[in-house]
Amino acid sequence: MKKNFRNNCFTKRSFLLVCFIAFFSFTTFYAKAGDSISIIPKPLTVQVENGHFVLNNFAGITANTSNEDVKQTIEWFTSQIATSTGYHLSTKKSSNGISLILNKKADTSLHDEGYTLKVTPSNVIINANKPAGLFYALQTVLQLLPPQIASVSEVKNVSWIMPCVEIKDVPRFGWRGLMLDVSRHFFTKQEVEEYIDQMARYKYNTLHLHLADDQGWRIEIKSLPELTKVGAWRVKRTGRWGTFLPALAGEPTPDGGFYTQKDMKEIIKYAQDRFISILPEIDVPAHSLALIASYPNLSCTQLPYSVNAGGKGYERNDNVLCIGNDSTFSMLDKIFTEIAALFPNPYIHIGGDEAYKGFWDQCPKCQKRMAEEHLKNVDELQSYFVKRVEKIVELKGKKLIGWDEILEGGLAPNATVMSWRGMSGGISAAKMGHHVVMTPWDYCYLDLYQGEPEGEPPTYGLCRLSDSYNYEPVPDSVDEKYILGGQGNLWTESVPTFRHAEYMTWPRAIALSEVYWSAKSNKNWSDFVSRLEQQFPRLDAANIKYSRSMYNPIFEPARIKNSDFGVTLTSEVKGLDIYYTFDQTNPDRFSPKFDGKPIQFPVGATQLNVITYRDGKPIGEQINMPKDVLIKRLDQKRHVY
Ligand code: ACM
Ligand code: ZN
């Protein structure tokens, strides 16, 4: 009896203990589920509720419409889910399902791309006015599921749960783009499609392909076969871009490639299925060496050239079309006829940047054109060119967009301006009532260094993750209605592989996705960093390369009165421990720790080695900084390399 009583008592107590533990883990779990909502770009409103939805093998996805785009979206989603979970979602009615509802009566506050998403323990309900909104809601659903959902192969033993939540989400801008330069380095159709998938995660809707430049012509134009027979190919060089030897006489040209129109149709369809539109760019009148190499009569000098392989030894400026030659315009008419027929995007990007105008000054044909058209200078000649090209493009039913140099000499009547040399071109264009896409280089150029150059593959300039994140595309002086949105631009001179294209793109383009999608009032750097850190396991699961330079040390040299100079060590991510050595050894957490006061080079020291730690573990890369590099930076406000 006693024994029994004691046992009984023990059982009751253990029962209570188990209940307590269960309750504790339950509440902790829900707190965690709430914490784990780290969607990027940040939705307009997020209301976390109690409970969770379990996605299991009996779950389904259904829609209230037979719309083809919605069908396609369901196919895309079920295939994503099958890849990582192994579950084959039913598209018939199911008790625990995802319901896609295309609003019969539009909710005007959601516009064309917004959505509402309600996750309850028994179902997930998504509403949108257009299929795009349903697609973006499902991208959000993927971000609510555990990171292994992004895996490229099936993952076992994961509980595929998502927290109950109510979300309303609408993008700030309608143009949310990335530009990929496929001329300087060619990326295959499959790589471009992978890039599209990566963009779609962050709700981008425009992929601008830079299809023609001095280093390669990348799109089949059936009426002008030389463009891809000659212009798509160059001699093979490897190493540091800009230092390569030009082609030797008779040297083979195996490097390059191009998309056939069939390839491009497939890319366009692949992108459309992810609500991304491909914007084609044919860069003229400059950056046209691949075109000139194929058809040498199109330049003022008519000299023969090879496609540039990324080197010196070329007449670099002689990459400009002759504006006095009517063949230039008949050639462009043929090109834009085929481009307009191929690409559904309402715009054609005609480049227009960085033209050296000296050849036009010397060219009898260009001079004759100027006289006939009463053009006062070569800026006006360039403007004549752009206006004439705008007429060609408009006759094909398209709108013209160009880099901000198209403002020089007078903007074409309906042109949209892509502002890259800062914001000022965009501001001028908007003040004239033209539409603008903002891509100022110092915030939006994904080819720039993203951390100290001593820790990065060689390139130029500087655009840190926080620069991209803190960028505001609408200047105070401008009416927001003229700013269509913005882009991140990846020029690929120093990007020879697709893995490196990923490294340069992510996470800066994740930051930019929030700039272009999220409400300005919802942006916050430290909140962004903590959400971004939740994205990294997703990128890992998807085998996407990305930069972790935000964890690396930053060196800020400054003169100290009556003395030499001191160095302040910081990092973009706050709260890291920073350790350093001057004796050329590798610092670790037992080395001197930076305490906020500028440090000075001891006599004889020539290098400062620094590493960052968090919670006792290294988190950034060690950077070895030569003293003379810091001295050079001393008088520069913002160092440009
Ligand atoms: C450009 O970066 N030249 C548009
Ligand atoms: Zn000329």
Side-chain angles (χ1 to χ4, degrees), residues 182-323:
V182 292
S183 171
R184 272 51 178 274
H185 281 99
F186 178 66
F187 297 96
T188 63
K189 171 173 163 272
Q190 191 195 336
E191 288 167 337
V192 173
E193 290 180 350
E194 279 179 44
Y195 205 69
I196 288 167
D197 273 323
Q198 296 171 17
M199 293 172 68
R201 289 169 187 275
Y202 299 104
K203 304 184 173 93
Y204 279 100
N205 66 2
T206 301
L207 173 59
H208 166 178
L209 289 178
H210 184 74
L211 289 165
D213 210 304
D214 299 341
Q215 290 82 10
W217 185 277
R218 303 298 179 209
I219 182 72
E220 176 189 26
I221 301 295
K222 290 182 197 279
S223 59
L224 298 166
E226 296 301 302
L227 286 175
T228 41
K229 227 194 259 165
V230 175
W233 304 100
R234 63 190 194 218
V235 296
K236 180 124 191 87
R237 300 285 183 267
T238 302
R240 178 76 161 107
W241 183 270
T243 66
F244 299 147
L245 288 177
L248 306 171
E251 190 180 353
T253 54
D255 203 13
F258 64 94
Y259 311 105
T260 62
Q261 293 199 4
K262 180 174 174 291
D263 287 336
M264 189 49 75
K265 281 183 186 148
E266 287 168 12
I267 293 174
I268 290 166
K269 166 81 171 93
Y270 192 89
Q272 270 173 344
D273 288 347
R274 287 148 186 80
F275 297 89
I276 290 174
S277 179
I278 309 278
L279 169 70
E281 180 187 353
I282 301 296
D283 200 349
V284 287
H287 287 273
S288 295
L289 196 68
L291 173 53
I292 289 166
S294 311
Y295 295 96
N297 65 316
L298 294 183
S299 75
C300 294
T301 63
Q302 308 212 342
L303 290 170
Y305 288 106
S306 310
V307 175
N308 186 312
K312 295 210 170 95
Y314 293 82
E315 281 297 332
R316 228 190 126 245
N317 294 325
D318 198 2
N319 63 357
V320 185
L321 300 176
C322 176
I323 298 178

Side-chain angles (χ1 to χ4, degrees), residues 300 322-324 360 363 365-366:
C300 294
C322 176
I323 298 178
W360 298 338
C363 169
K365 285 188 198 152
C366 286

Side-chain angles (χ1 to χ4, degrees), residues 183-487:
S183 171
R184 272 51 178 274
H185 281 99
F186 178 66
F187 297 96
T188 63
K189 171 173 163 272
Q190 191 195 336
E191 288 167 337
V192 173
E193 290 180 350
E194 279 179 44
Y195 205 69
I196 288 167
D197 273 323
Q198 296 171 17
M199 293 172 68
R201 289 169 187 275
Y202 299 104
K203 304 184 173 93
Y204 279 100
N205 66 2
T206 301
L207 173 59
H208 166 178
L209 289 178
H210 184 74
L211 289 165
D213 210 304
D214 299 341
Q215 290 82 10
W217 185 277
R218 303 298 179 209
I219 182 72
E220 176 189 26
I221 301 295
K222 290 182 197 279
S223 59
L224 298 166
E226 296 301 302
L227 286 175
T228 41
K229 227 194 259 165
V230 175
W233 304 100
R234 63 190 194 218
V235 296
K236 180 124 191 87
R237 300 285 183 267
T238 302
R240 178 76 161 107
W241 183 270
T243 66
F244 299 147
L245 288 177
L248 306 171
E251 190 180 353
T253 54
D255 203 13
F258 64 94
Y259 311 105
T260 62
Q261 293 199 4
K262 180 174 174 291
D263 287 336
M264 189 49 75
K265 281 183 186 148
E266 287 168 12
I267 293 174
I268 290 166
K269 166 81 171 93
Y270 192 89
Q272 270 173 344
D273 288 347
R274 287 148 186 80
F275 297 89
I276 290 174
S277 179
I278 309 278
L279 169 70
E281 180 187 353
I282 301 296
D283 200 349
V284 287
H287 287 273
S288 295
L289 196 68
L291 173 53
I292 289 166
S294 311
Y295 295 96
N297 65 316
L298 294 183
S299 75
C300 294
T301 63
Q302 308 212 342
L303 290 170
Y305 288 106
S306 310
V307 175
N308 186 312
K312 295 210 170 95
Y314 293 82
E315 281 297 332
R316 228 190 126 245
N317 294 325
D318 198 2
N319 63 357
V320 185
L321 300 176
C322 176
I323 298 178
N325 184 349
D326 280 329
S327 305
T328 295
F329 295 97
S330 53
M331 187 75 80
L332 291 178
D333 195 296
K334 285 184 181 168
I335 291 169
F336 290 128
T337 299
E338 294 193 35
I339 294 285
L342 187 56
F343 292 88
N345 193 295
Y347 292 88
I348 290 179
H349 198 308
I350 61 104
D353 57 321
E354 297 182 312
Y356 170 69
K357 298 167 181 140
F359 291 101
W360 298 338
D361 264 330
Q362 310 295 319
C363 169
K365 285 188 198 152
C366 286
Q367 289 301 307
K368 183 162 173 275
R369 176 83 72 201
M370 286 171 69
E372 281 167 4
E373 300 291 334
H374 312 291
L375 306 171
K376 290 197 284 296
N377 52 43
V378 282
D379 279 350
E380 289 193 7
L381 182 64
Q382 175 173 288
S383 167
Y384 164 87
F385 172 87
V386 176
K387 285 174 182 157
R388 193 159 160 185
V389 171
E390 181 177 66
K391 283 199 190 113
I392 294 176
V393 162
E394 287 183 345
L395 276 172
K396 321 287 172 210
K398 299 291 182 181
K399 297 188 262 192
L400 178 143
I401 182 167
W403 299 110
D404 57 65
E405 287 92 333
I406 65 171
L407 283 150
E408 292 162 7
L411 195 51
N414 307 311
T416 297
V417 170
M418 192 168 270
S419 190
W420 73 277
R421 295 176 300 176
M423 311 280 276
S424 60
I427 294 172
S428 308
K431 290 198 165 154
M432 289 189 264
H434 287 251
H435 282 138
V436 172
V437 177
M438 284 292 192
T439 66
W441 66 270
D442 38 355
Y443 301 98
C444 302
Y445 269 30
L446 305 174
D447 57 328
L448 306 186
Y449 284 114
Q450 48 199 321
E452 296 291 355
E454 286 65 26
E456 300 284 338
T459 179
Y460 71 105
L462 180 69
C463 173
R464 294 190 192 281
L465 179 66
S466 51
D467 294 326
S468 291
Y469 189 75
N470 292 323
Y471 157 57
E472 167 48 41
V474 183
D476 287 341
S477 58
V478 160
D479 185 341
E480 179 151 357
K481 77 176 187 209
Y482 293 112
I483 313 293
L484 300 178
Q487 291 189 170

Side-chain angles (χ1 to χ4, degrees), residues 24 54 60 219 264 359 367 444 496 527 577 597 614 627:
F24 185 74
V54 181
I219 182 72
M264 189 49 75
F359 291 101
Q367 289 301 307
C444 302
D527 171 56
D577 299 319
K597 290 198 222 53
R614 184 159 71 187
K627 182 179 179 182

